[in-house]
C-alpha cells in the first residue's frame, strides 16, 4: 500500500563462447543485449528511479572504445537505454561532425554485460547517482565498473580510511567511496603483477598481456570487502575482462546465478533467470553469504569464499514484499503468511459471538492491491478449511497514480485520498464486516488519508485491517528508504503511550544510553518493552482513524513466530525485532533515536 523505495536490482551476463557462435546459433549479434533487456525488465519492481548498463568488449582494438556505460533516469530508463543502443545499431546516432559512429556498433557486441535498476535509499537523485559507476584508466586492467544492491552503514569509517591514505574522493556517498576503495586495491593488484612481469624480464605489451591474464579479483575483494558493514550484492567488470559478484557475509541481500556451456548469468531474483532462459527453479543456484562468483577473462568460472559467513540473516522483507511473488518458494511463503492469520482474524470478527459460522458468512474478505494478493489467497484458504466457503470481493482498486505534487497543503491531501477507489455495493451496509489484508503497515499515511476514508463509504459493520507482516518498529539500514524512527506508525504509537502514562523518564534514559554507548546494543528496544502488541495496535488505530469515520477498526498483525514459520530460511527480522545483524545497524538505530529526541526539542 505504502510503496517503499527499496532494494535495487542487478543483472549480469558473461558469454562463454566466441561472439560469432551466438550470431550463428541465434541469428543476431544482439543475443546478450536482448537477454539483458529481459532480465532488467523482469526486475523493474526493484527500481524505477533510474537504470544503467555497462559492457566490455575484449576484442576491441586499441584506439576504440572497449568499455561502455549508458545510464538514464526515470521509470522509463530501461526503454531509453536500449532505444539508444538500437539507434546505434541502425546507424542513427552521429558524432559532432555528422559522421556515423560505426565503431560503437562493434562495441555493443560484447562478452561482458551488466545492468542495474535503482531506487534511491539516501534521498539523493540525479544521473551522477545512477549505477553503474566507472573508474577510467589507460591500462585496461585498471578500468573498473561497479553496480550493486547495497547500503553501507559505516561509510564514514571507509571515507576516513581513503583520506588517511591520501585519496580525495570527489563525492561523499557509499557508491563512489566503494568504487574508489576497490579501484585502489585493483591498482595495487596490477602494480604487483607489473613487478612480477619485470622480474620475468618481460617488456612492452608482453607485460600488459601478463597482467591481463593474471589479475586476481579474489585478491582485490579480500582486501576491499572486509572494510564494509552493511547488506550488499556488489557486481563489477574490469576493462581486461574480469567479472565478479560478491554477497555480504550476513546474506542480507539476495543473488542467484546460472551457468551452462554458453553463458553465466546472475540476478537479484531467481524467476528473472528462469523466465529469461526458460529454466526450472532447480537449475539456478543461490550465491552464499560472503561468497564471490568470479569469471576470469579466459572464461573460467569459480566460486570463492571471500568473507567468513556471519550467520543467516537473509532478509524476510524480501519474501513479504520486495521480491516478485512469481518465485516458487516466495509464492508459497506468502500464502502461509496469510493462512497463519486465520485465528486472530476470526477472533476480531467474531469476538464472543456464539454463531461463528454466521459471523464468517457476514464478512467480506478482500486485499489491498497488488502485493498482498497472494497472502489474501492464503488467508481465504485458511478460512475455507475451517469454515467452508467465504465471501470474497475486490473492494479496493488502485487504477491511477494521481500527480499530487502539483498541489499543496489540504489540496494535496484531498487528491491523495483518491489514489485508491472502491467497488460500490460490494458489501451490505451496516451488516457485513470487512476484512482487508495488506503486506505491511509502515507509516500509516495512506491508511489515514485514503484507505480508511473510502472504506467507510461502504458502511461496513466493522473493518479488520490485516498486515501479513509484524509491526514494523525499526528503520532499515541495508537498502530501504525508512531511516527515521518517527516515520513508523508503531514507533509513534509507543511514544504516545509513554506520554499518556507519564513515563517520559524512559525516553530520557534511552536517549542517554544511545548517546553514551551507541555500539553496545539496540537501546531503542526498551521503548516498546512496557507495551503489548494489542496496546500498540489500539493506539495506532486511534492515531490513524480519520475524523468523522463511523465504522470501528481493529488491526491484526502477523506474529514474529508466524513470520519465521512461514519463511524459515529467511530469519532476518530487524525491521520487527530490532535485532540488527551488523554493528553498523545497531549504531545507526541508536543515532536515529538521538536525532528524534533532538529534533523534538527544537519543535
Amino acid at each position: 500500500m505504502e510503496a517503499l523505495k527499496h532494494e535495487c536490482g542487478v543483472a549480469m551476463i558473461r558469454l562463454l563462447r566466441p561472439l560469432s557462435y551466438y550470431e550463428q546459433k541465434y541469428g543476431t549479434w544482439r543475443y546478450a543485449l536482448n537477454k539483458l533487456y529481459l532480465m532488467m525488465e523482469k526486475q523493474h519492481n526493484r527500481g524505477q528511479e533510474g537504470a544503467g548498463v555497462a559492457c566490455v568488449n575484449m576484442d576491441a582494438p586499441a584506439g576504440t572504445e572497449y568499455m561502455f556505460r549508458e545510464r538514464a533516469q526515470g521509470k522509463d530508463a530501461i526503454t531509453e537505454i536500449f532505444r539508444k543502443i538500437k539507434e546505434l545499431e541502425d546507424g542513427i546516432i552521429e558524432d559532432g561532425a555528422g559522421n556515423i559512429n560505426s565503431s560503437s556498433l562493434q562495441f555493443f557486441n560484447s562478452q561482458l554485460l551488466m545492468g542495474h535498476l535503482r531506487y534511491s535509499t539516501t534521498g539523493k537523485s540525479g544521473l551522477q547517482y545512477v549505477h553503474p559507476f566507472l573508474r577510467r584508466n589507460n591500462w585496461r586492467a585498471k578500468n573498473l565498473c561497479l553496480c550493486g544492491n547495497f547500503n553501507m552503514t559505516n561509510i564514514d569509517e571507509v571515507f576516513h580510511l581513503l583520506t588517511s591514505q591520501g585519496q580525495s574522493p570527489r563525492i561523499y556517498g557509499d557508491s563512489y567511496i566503494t568504487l574508489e576503495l576497490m579501484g585502489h586495491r585493483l591498482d595495487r593488484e596490477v602494480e604487483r603483477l607489473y613487478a612480477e612481469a619485470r622480474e620475468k624480464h618481460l617488456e612492452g605489451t608482453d607485460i600488459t598481456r601478463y597482467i591481463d591474464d593474471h589479475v586476481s579479483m579474489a585478491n582485490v575483494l579480500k582486501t576491499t570487502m572486509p572494510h564494509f558493514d552493511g547488506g550488499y550484492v556488489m557486481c563489477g567488470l574490469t576493462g581486461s575482462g574480469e567479472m565478479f559478484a560478491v554477497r555480504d557475509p550476513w546474506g542480507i541481500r539476495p543473488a542467484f546465478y546460472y551457468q551452462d556451456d554458453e553463458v553465466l548469468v546472475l540476478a537479484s531474483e531467481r524467476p528473472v533467470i528462469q523466465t529469461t532462459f526458460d529454466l526450472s527453479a532447480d537449475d539456478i543456484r543461490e550465491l552464499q553469504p560472503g561468497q564471490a562468483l568470479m569469471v576470469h577473462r579466459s572464461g573460467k568460472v569459480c566460486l570463492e569464499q571471500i568473507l567468513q559467513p556471519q550467520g543467516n540473516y537473509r532478509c524476510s522483507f524480501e519474501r513479504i514484499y520486495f521480491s516478485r511473488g512469481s518465485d516458487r518458494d516466495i509464492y508459497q511463503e506468502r500464502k502461509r503468511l496469510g493462512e497463519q492469520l486465520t485465528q486472530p482474524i476470526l477472533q476480531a470478527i467474531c469476538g464472543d459471538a456464539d454463531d461463528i459460522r454466521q459471523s464468517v458468512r457476514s464478512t467480506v474478505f478482500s486485499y489491498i492491491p497488488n502485493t498482498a494478493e497472494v497472502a489474501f489467497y492464503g488467508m481465504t484458504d485458511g478460512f475455507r478449511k475451517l469454515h467452508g466457503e467465504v465471501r470474497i470481493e475486490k473492494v479496493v482498486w488502485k487504477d491511477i497514480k494521481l500527480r499530487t505534487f502539483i498541489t499543496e497543503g489540504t489540496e494535496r491531501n484531498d487528491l491523495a485520498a483518491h489514489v485508491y477507489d472502491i467497488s460500490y455495493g460490494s458489501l451490505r451496509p451496516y451488516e457485513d464486516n470487512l476484512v482487508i489484508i495488506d503486506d505491511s503497515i509502515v507509516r500509516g499515511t495512506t491508511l489515514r488519508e485514503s484507505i480508511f476514508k473510502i472504506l467507510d463509504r461502504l458502511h461496513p459493520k466493522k473493518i479488520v485491517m490485516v498486515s501479513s507482516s509484524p509491526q514494523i518498529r525499526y528503520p532499515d539500514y541495508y537498502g530501504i528508504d525508512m531511516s527515521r524512527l518517527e516515520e513508523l506508525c508503531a514507533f509513534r504509537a509507543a511514544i504516545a503511550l509513554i506520554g499518556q502514562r507519564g513515563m517520559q523518564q524512559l525516553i530520557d534514559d534511552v536517549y542517554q544510553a544511545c548517546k553514551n554507548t551507541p555500539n553496545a546494543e539496540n537501546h531503542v528496544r526498551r521503548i516498546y518493552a512496557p507495551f503489548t502488541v494489542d496496546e500498540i495496535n489500539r493506539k495506532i488505530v486511534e492515531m490513524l482513524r480519520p475524523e468523522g469515520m463511523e465504522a470501528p477498526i481493529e488491526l491484526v498483525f502477523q506474529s514474529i513466530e508466524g513470520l519465521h514459520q512461514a519463511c524459515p530460511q529467511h530469519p532476518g527480522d530487524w525491521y520487527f525485532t530490532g535485532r540488527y545483524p551488523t554493528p553498523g545497524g545497531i549504531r545507526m538505530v541508536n543515532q536515529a533515536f538521538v536525532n528524534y529526541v533532538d529534533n523534538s526539542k527544537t519543535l
Side-chain angles (χ1 to χ4, degrees):
M1 182 199 311
E2 297 169 299
L4 292 172
K5 297 176 182 178
H6 56 90
E7 323 302 346
C8 297
V10 296
M12 303 186 82
I13 297 177
R14 173 58 156 92
L15 300 179
L16 302 177
R17 296 286 191 96
L19 291 172
S20 58
Y21 169 88
Y22 303 92
E23 186 164 6
Q24 292 172 6
K25 181 173 181 179
Y26 298 104
T28 174
W29 67 266
R30 293 176 57 89
Y31 169 79
L33 277 172
N34 291 341
K35 294 297 187 184
L36 184 67
Y37 171 75
L38 282 174
M39 290 175 72
M40 293 178 69
E41 283 289 6
K42 292 296 180 182
Q43 294 182 100
H44 215 152
N45 58 299
R46 302 188 72 89
Q48 297 182 33
E49 290 188 2
V53 167
C55 308
V56 174
N57 183 352
M58 294 188 294
D59 298 335
T64 63
E65 184 59 86
Y66 54 88
M67 197 169 195
F68 163 81
R69 176 186 63 168
E70 185 67 57
R71 300 179 293 175
Q73 290 183 265
K75 62 182 179 62
D76 297 322
I78 301 173
T79 302
E80 181 179 341
I81 288 168
F82 283 88
R83 177 187 57 78
K84 289 181 180 178
I85 294 173
K86 183 65 167 64
E87 288 178 350
L88 277 171
E89 176 190 1
D90 295 338
I92 295 173
I93 294 180
E94 302 177 349
D95 62 19
N99 301 311
I100 300 297
N101 187 0
S102 58
S103 64
S104 295
L105 299 180
Q106 297 178 357
F107 168 74
F108 283 111
N109 196 10
S110 301
Q111 299 92 338
L112 291 78
L113 301 94
M114 182 169 72
H116 184 267
L117 298 108
R118 180 178 190 261
Y119 258 137
S120 170
T121 59
T122 63
K124 296 178 179 178
S125 61
L127 197 61
Q128 64 178 327
Y129 296 106
V130 176
H131 298 209
F133 294 94
L134 184 58
R135 192 173 190 261
R136 290 287 198 180
N137 194 285
N138 274 349
W139 289 70
R140 290 197 186 202
K142 287 188 175 183
N143 283 268
L144 178 63
C145 193
L146 286 184
C147 75
N149 173 12
F150 64 89
N151 201 43
M152 304 304 185
T153 61
N154 68 330
I155 206 64
D156 290 347
E157 297 172 13
V158 182
F159 182 80
H160 177 72
L161 172 67
L162 288 174
T163 54
S164 67
Q165 295 172 343
Q167 296 193 57
S168 183
R170 295 183 297 111
I171 296 176
Y172 186 88
D174 54 3
S175 300
Y176 276 93
I177 290 173
T178 302
L179 177 70
E180 290 305 323
L181 179 59
M182 190 175 295
H184 173 68
R185 299 315 311 171
L186 180 60
D187 289 348
R188 299 291 82 78
E189 171 69 8
V190 171
E191 289 160 10
R192 179 186 70 82
L193 292 171
Y194 179 85
E196 279 187 8
R198 293 303 301 267
E199 289 177 1
K200 295 178 182 293
H201 306 293
L202 299 178
E203 295 181 357
T205 57
D206 289 337
I207 294 178
T208 301
R209 283 191 290 270
Y210 181 85
I211 292 171
D212 290 348
D213 290 341
H214 292 85
V215 167
S216 170
M217 286 309 302
N219 287 346
V220 175
L221 295 174
K222 286 178 180 178
T223 54
T224 301
M225 303 318 297
H227 293 289
F228 291 106
D229 179 299
Y232 55 82
V233 171
M234 190 72 65
C235 303
L237 311 173
T238 73
S240 59
E242 303 294 319
M243 174 182 277
F244 64 90
V246 58
R247 188 178 185 185
D248 68 79
W250 300 273
I252 296 170
R253 299 275 69 87
F256 298 86
Y257 66 95
Y258 166 78
Q259 178 190 355
D260 59 24
D261 62 346
E262 291 186 357
V263 67
L264 178 135
V265 295
L266 179 138
S268 295
E269 298 186 25
R270 182 169 61 180
V272 171
I273 301 175
Q274 285 184 250
T275 302
T276 303
F277 292 90
D278 192 18
L279 303 168
S280 71
D282 294 333
D283 293 327
I284 298 163
R285 299 174 65 185
E286 182 179 1
L287 192 63
Q288 296 301 304
Q291 197 175 60
L293 175 67
M294 295 173 289
V295 189
H296 187 260
R297 64 176 274 108
S298 65
K300 180 181 178 182
V301 179
C302 69
L303 288 167
E304 188 161 343
Q305 198 68 42
I306 299 299
L307 297 167
Q308 189 68 26
Q310 299 297 312
N312 179 12
Y313 291 94
R314 288 174 172 87
C315 173
S316 59
F317 227 110
E318 282 280 352
R319 320 301 279 185
I320 297 168
Y321 175 79
F322 296 145
S323 294
R324 292 163 64 98
S326 57
D327 182 272
R328 178 190 65 187
D329 296 334
I330 292 176
Y331 183 81
Q332 296 302 324
E333 290 167 11
R334 289 183 182 175
K335 287 191 71 175
R336 286 197 296 269
L337 285 167
E339 185 171 354
Q340 288 172 177
L341 291 163
T342 303
Q343 286 302 326
I345 294 171
L346 190 64
Q347 179 62 37
I349 62 176
C350 296
D352 298 326
D354 294 329
D355 192 344
I356 294 176
R357 188 171 295 276
Q358 178 57 39
S359 296
V360 174
R361 283 198 296 263
S362 299
T363 299
V364 171
F365 294 84
S366 192
Y367 63 94
I368 304 294
N370 292 315
T371 53
E373 185 174 1
V374 178
F376 167 76
Y377 295 146
M379 176 183 70
T380 52
D381 283 351
F383 271 90
R384 289 191 184 97
K385 291 175 184 177
L386 296 173
H387 306 290
E389 282 303 308
V390 294
R391 296 168 58 195
I392 63 174
E393 302 286 351
K394 186 168 183 179
V395 174
V396 177
W397 297 78
K398 188 178 182 181
D399 54 355
I400 55 173
K401 186 173 180 63
L402 293 174
R403 302 299 181 182
T404 58
F405 64 84
I406 64 175
T407 59
E408 297 182 359
T410 56
E411 290 180 339
R412 176 179 296 183
N413 289 338
D414 184 60
L415 276 179
H418 295 85
V419 170
Y420 289 90
D421 208 342
I422 51 172
S423 298
Y424 291 96
S426 53
L427 54 82
R428 296 173 297 183
Y430 305 108
E431 294 183 33
D432 291 333
N433 301 308
L434 175 60
V435 172
I436 192 156
I437 189 169
D438 197 5
D439 47 58
S440 59
I441 298 173
V442 185
R443 303 176 182 91
T445 307
T446 308
L447 286 178
R448 183 183 64 246
E449 300 297 337
S450 180
I451 296 295
F452 285 157
K453 289 180 179 180
I454 62 172
L455 293 181
D456 199 45
R457 297 176 193 167
L458 297 173
H459 306 295
K461 182 180 177 181
K462 182 180 185 178
I463 297 172
V464 179
M465 186 71 220
V466 182
S467 170
S468 66
S469 71
Q471 290 175 352
I472 297 177
R473 298 182 169 192
Y474 304 91
D476 178 65
Y477 299 106
Y478 307 121
I480 310 165
D481 70 334
M482 47 176 178
S483 60
R484 297 168 57 203
L485 282 162
E486 57 268 35
E487 293 180 345
L488 308 177
C489 62
F491 177 79
R492 297 198 306 272
I495 292 295
L497 287 170
I498 288 172
Q500 183 178 310
R501 300 183 186 182
M503 301 168 61
Q504 286 84 353
Q505 186 59 45
L506 176 60
I507 294 177
D508 294 337
D509 292 344
V510 173
Y511 176 78
Q512 292 301 326
C514 289
K515 287 192 71 172
N516 297 330
T517 56
N519 301 316
E521 61 179 300
N522 179 0
H523 302 295
V524 184
R525 297 181 72 186
R526 293 163 57 188
I527 293 295
Y528 296 97
F531 313 114
T532 66
V533 170
D534 287 340
E535 287 175 320
I536 294 176
N537 281 354
R538 289 193 291 271
K539 179 54 70 172
I540 292 174
V541 168
E542 181 183 319
M543 296 169 63
L544 299 185
R545 184 182 182 85
E547 184 178 353
M549 184 173 181
E550 295 181 356
I553 304 169
E554 186 167 342
L555 286 179
V556 172
F557 281 92
Q558 182 69 253
S559 66
I560 301 297
E561 296 75 19
L563 169 68
H564 292 315
Q565 288 171 12
C567 310
Q569 303 304 314
H570 290 73
D573 61 3
W574 53 91
Y575 319 86
F576 319 115
T577 66
R579 295 193 289 256
Y580 290 91
T582 77
I586 294 170
R587 183 178 64 254
M588 291 185 77
V589 72
N590 288 329
Q591 184 60 50
F593 189 79
V594 171
N595 294 343
Y596 162 73
V597 174
D598 288 344
N599 292 337
S600 299
K601 292 176 181 177
T602 62
L603 297 178

